[in-house]
Amino acid sequence: MEIFKYMESYDYEQLLFCQDEQSGLKAIVAIHDTTLGPALGGTRMWTYDSEEAAITDALRLAKGMTYKNAAAGLNLGGGKTVIIGDPKKDKNEAMFRAFGRFIQGLNGRYITAEDVGTTVRDMDLIHEETDFVTGISPEFGSSGNPSPVTAYGVYKGIKAAAKEAFGSDSLEGKTIAVQGVGNVAYNLCGHLHEEGANLIVTDINKEAVNRAVEAYGAKAVDPDDIYQVDCDIYAPCALGATINDDTIPQLKAKVVAGAANNQLKETKHGDILHEKGIVYAPDYVINAGGVINVADELIGYNQDRAMKRVETIYSSLERVFEISQRDNLPTYAAADRMAEERIQMLKQSRSQFLTNSHHILSRR
């Protein structure tokens, strides 16, 4: 893998390799862009097939966080960490404390958080060595479980997408098919039910399905049948890549808007949704409630302030739809453009400031 060539192609700033022999720590920190502020992104622990696969994942995820944070209006850049190892058997206190010392050494350029394979307890151990970590236990000033906040942001995003598709953001009487009923989606179903939406749900976990059926009067269907149900809105809230060649022809929904990451299997599937006139709410915009919430911890967590910031997901999606119409772009590309325009504007502003400062100094 030609690392510097890859980094240059996508304008990465830094790639850091961290190892601690005693604890078994092997971590890769990727910092993509800090134009808007310090890089914020979670620490993932996974059994990668190769070191190259781990590096590629760290780089890809870091770039995604740049766009997510920029689109959310946060003054934060994008970064990500991957720890190579089995999260079920390779963890120990020394590992995460050693990693915390590496983060401390970056002096605030990178702030980490919980991700796949890591827990609040792991973040607490990192916190023993550095303050540059979010998602720690509430007794340390954290926001606690992010699922309800993420769900609220997705709910607001669904309303914005409904407005774009139907002319009104009211969900009363709308039929919404929710794929996956985990913690985020269950809380989302609560908001949708409260507004009077009709719910169709599915999950490989039958207990999760039954919970939604009993609490919200949802109709349950088999996992393979969720794509073809008669509905107004399809809300993917489980695995990624559920928008693909096989599922798109089955969809009857006018809106695709949900909590899952990487909903499009390939970017071409976003193009197809656009051609079909289906309103797609880009995943990293609509599911940004969690990162918005933990970002508030950096200034002393205030739940009311955080929730008000999460509500801006609605206006962020309105902006995405506006750019999509303005430039005749699929919404996934419009979201990228919105994020890139914000970053580029700040870069130009700083460049102009430095130029002006140079002219002033040269005249003295």
Side-chain angles (χ1 to χ4, degrees), residues 311-349:
E311 290 179 356
T312 65
I313 288 173
Y314 186 107
S315 57
S316 294
L317 280 170
E318 285 187 312
R319 175 67 177 149
V320 168
F321 300 142
E322 178 186 319
I323 294 171
S324 174
Q325 292 184 0
R326 181 193 75 190
D327 299 342
N328 191 28
L329 289 172
T331 53
Y332 77 86
D336 286 354
R337 183 162 296 181
M338 179 177 73
E340 290 162 356
E341 285 178 353
R342 183 169 178 238
I343 294 168
Q344 193 58 38
M345 186 179 299
L346 188 53
K347 282 184 177 179
Q348 291 172 350
S349 176

Side-chain angles (χ1 to χ4, degrees), residues 8-267:
E8 184 178 359
S9 297
Y10 298 99
D11 202 18
Y12 286 85
E13 294 180 8
Q14 190 171 4
L15 190 62
L16 179 71
F17 295 85
C18 314
Q19 81 85 26
D20 181 74
E21 183 178 2
Q22 185 174 4
S23 67
L25 174 71
K26 291 181 175 62
I28 302 162
V29 181
I31 297 176
H32 177 245
D33 189 285
T34 58
T35 301
L36 298 175
L40 172 68
T43 292
R44 176 170 294 194
M45 188 170 184
W46 198 252
T47 51
Y48 291 94
D49 292 334
S50 65
E51 291 181 1
E52 183 174 330
I55 294 168
T56 301
D57 202 30
L59 290 167
R60 177 182 63 84
L61 293 166
K63 183 170 181 282
M65 288 306 301
T66 293
Y67 281 75
K68 188 168 195 169
N69 292 336
L74 299 173
N75 293 320
L76 294 165
K80 206 78 172 187
T81 295
V82 299
I83 295 177
I84 300 172
D86 187 337
K88 293 181 180 178
K89 63 181 183 181
D90 293 335
K91 289 182 181 182
N92 57 73
E93 177 181 354
M95 171 184 288
F96 288 100
R97 293 190 66 160
F99 180 56
R101 292 192 291 275
F102 282 115
I103 293 177
Q104 182 66 20
L106 289 170
N107 199 31
R109 272 180 56 75
Y110 169 66
I111 302 161
T112 198
E114 183 182 343
D115 203 281
V116 174
T118 59
T119 66
V120 172
R121 170 60 179 159
D122 300 330
M123 298 306 108
D124 287 347
L125 293 173
I126 292 171
H127 183 56
E128 293 289 334
E129 305 289 344
T130 183
D131 288 331
F132 301 118
V133 55
T134 61
I136 53 180
S137 295
E139 53 263 37
F140 296 127
S142 165
S143 55
N145 181 5
S147 296
V149 185
T150 303
Y152 183 64
V154 174
Y155 163 65
K156 285 293 184 180
I158 288 176
K159 287 178 69 64
K163 182 180 178 182
E164 178 69 12
F166 308 117
S168 168
D169 69 3
S170 174
L171 302 178
E172 184 176 2
K174 292 286 188 292
T175 298
I176 303 176
V178 182
Q179 182 196 43
V181 205
N183 289 332
V184 171
Y186 180 77
N187 283 281
L188 170 63
C189 286
H191 292 295
L192 301 175
H193 174 71
E194 188 175 339
E195 191 166 333
N198 303 310
L199 299 175
I200 301 173
V201 299
T202 195
D203 198 297
I204 58 173
N205 183 341
K206 296 300 182 184
E207 291 182 4
V209 171
N210 291 337
R211 185 170 67 147
V213 169
E214 292 173 8
Y216 306 125
K219 175 185 175 183
V221 298
D222 289 336
D224 290 340
D225 295 335
I226 193 70
Y227 308 107
Q228 56 191 304
V229 299
D230 286 317
C231 65
D232 302 293
I233 299 167
Y234 165 59
C237 298
L239 299 175
T242 64
I243 304 299
N244 54 54
D245 288 339
D246 294 330
T247 61
I248 291 176
Q250 300 180 57
L251 292 178
K252 297 181 174 66
K254 295 296 183 183
V255 172
V256 173
N261 289 311
N262 305 314
Q263 295 171 22
L264 305 176
K265 185 172 183 180
E266 299 175 53
T267 56

